[in-house]
Every structure is written in C-alpha cells, then in structure tokens.
Amino acid sequence: MTAADRGRTIAASWEANAAAWTDAVRSGRIASRRAGTDAAVVAAVRLRPPGRVLDLGCGEGWLARVLAGHGYEVTGLDGSAALVAQASALGGGDFRVASFEALVESPSLAGGPYDVVVLNFALLAEHVVPVLATAGGLLAPGGAVVLQTVHPWTAAGDGPYRDGWRIETFDAFGGAFPHAMPWYFRTLDSWLAALDAAALRLERLEEPADPETGRPLSLLLTAVPDGERRVSSR
C-alpha cells in the first residue's frame, strides 16, 4: 500500500467513524483522556496567554470549546466533513474542512497568524514534516506548536521499537467503530528528528502519566520556530 493509499484509508476511517468517535469523546469513554491527556494539552496551551489558536485535526471540537471558555479564539481544521459538522453544531470556534495535504499546498486555508497551533493526537501518517513545517509557518512572533501523541514507549506494546505502520481497531474505546485505521508508529528519536527537519526547536517535553499506574499516557511536545532557519513545506 502506498503512502497515498494509506492517507486515503485514514481519511475514510475518520469519516466512517465520526459518529462513534464523537459519542466516545463526549461520553468520556476513553480512559487515557479521563486520566490526563485532555487536561495536559489544555494546560500546555494555557501556558501562553489567551490569543489565537489553530486546532489542526480538531475532530468533534472538544478542545476548541474548552479553550474558548478560557478566552482563546479558536479555528479548527479537520479533513472529515462529518467531524467538522459535529464540531460546528456545538460551537466554540470557527470550524473548516481541510485535509493536511490541502493545508500544506495552501496554508492560507487556515488564516492566521496564530499564537498556538495544536496537533492533538492528529499526526497519524508517515510523512509529518510538511505538516509540522506548515504549522510553524502559521505562527505569529512568539508563537508555539503544541503536539500531543501516543507515548512511544507505551504504544510500542509487544511490537518492535522502530518506526512503522500499525493498525488501530478502536476496540478499547467501546461503541460501534465500523472502520479500522492504519497509523504510523514512531520512536521518540523520530519525533525529535521530525521537529528538527521542520525547523522547529523543542522548547518543552512532557510525559503526562496515569495517576494510578504511573505509566506515561502520552508524549507532549512544545516547539518554537528555530531562529532564521527555514524549510520548504513540500
């Protein structure tokens, strides 16, 4: 399967699973979110004063609604029209349909500039540098990219600790998820290399932990543009 084929499969999965995902998020059925990942990404954004936030891969819009309650002006982009419709129905931000591929080709789709660009469990493909570089280019002076993803040491499970494709079945989330989804596992070194290749400098690395088990729930990276260094977003 080519990278383009996997990208289409990921997009189709989100569209097919939009109703089940929305229900799982809004009913609080995802344990890791309850244990701390939602609170962690909100806290990371709130380290910067209220301003303009771009939520890339906004899904059903929960983060925009929370941040709007704290005084932030949020624009949400997602490639799934079904998820954007769910987000728009509850408000809290300006929600638009746009894939990452379309955004890389035309960054003006996002508007901006922004004080924070958030990617919360949104980077699932193999080639993430163009998206990260585009996110960096949408920042206002002093802005930051906040990226939360699965913690590689936990997510590796019984598989090898190396970059590669995995399959998410959503079995742990409950509900009727009709479509499994491929996603690209990457190591900690791989994530840091991707930030560097996108001309982003790591400002903060956090590992939100489960308060009961002490095991890491996620990897949370905050990065800022690296001086005058620039990369092509293509």
Side-chain angles (χ1 to χ4, degrees):
M1 184 180 292
T2 67
D5 290 335
R6 286 195 173 94
R8 285 189 288 269
T9 301
I10 292 172
S13 173
W14 281 121
E15 200 70 12
N17 292 332
W21 178 256
T22 299
D23 182 60
V25 171
R26 294 181 182 176
S27 62
R29 287 206 309 273
I30 303 175
S32 60
R33 299 175 66 118
R34 297 194 308 270
T37 62
D38 282 4
V41 72
V42 171
V45 174
R46 293 191 67 200
L47 288 175
R48 283 171 162 75
R52 300 190 70 195
V53 174
L54 176 62
D55 185 5
L56 289 181
C58 64
E60 55 73 56
W62 78 270
L63 181 57
R65 294 190 296 274
V66 172
L67 292 176
H70 291 293
Y72 293 83
E73 178 186 345
V74 186
T75 297
L77 264 65
D78 201 284
S80 167
L83 284 172
V84 169
Q86 294 280 5
S88 298
L90 292 187
D94 172 23
F95 299 103
R96 310 172 190 178
V97 179
S99 68
F100 285 156
E101 293 80 8
L103 180 64
V104 168
E105 289 295 322
S106 301
S108 61
L109 290 171
Y114 293 94
D115 301 296
V116 182
V117 176
V118 184
L119 290 142
N120 188 48
F121 295 104
L123 288 180
L124 303 172
E126 180 176 1
H127 302 294
V128 298
V129 172
V131 179
L132 289 169
T134 300
L138 290 168
L139 291 173
V145 174
V146 173
L147 163 65
Q148 185 167 220
T149 186
V150 295
H151 197 291
W153 299 347
T154 302
D158 295 328
Y161 190 70
R162 61 171 178 263
D163 289 8
W165 285 97
R166 309 282 179 95
I167 295 293
E168 173 60 70
T169 63
F170 300 100
D171 290 344
F173 299 162
F177 283 80
H179 204 303
M181 181 181 68
W183 65 282
Y184 195 77
F185 172 87
R186 62 184 72 244
T187 65
L188 176 58
D189 179 68
S190 180
W191 276 116
L192 298 181
L195 291 178
D196 184 69
L200 293 170
R201 175 175 53 81
L202 183 66
E203 182 179 74
R204 182 179 297 104
L205 187 155
E206 301 171 78
E207 299 171 287
D210 187 311
E212 294 186 3
T213 68
R215 292 178 60 81
L217 293 166
S218 67
L219 178 66
L220 185 55
L221 307 172
T222 299
V224 296
D226 189 6
E228 297 302 314
R229 194 158 60 94
R230 296 289 184 268
V231 298
S232 168
S233 63
R234 300 184 182 177

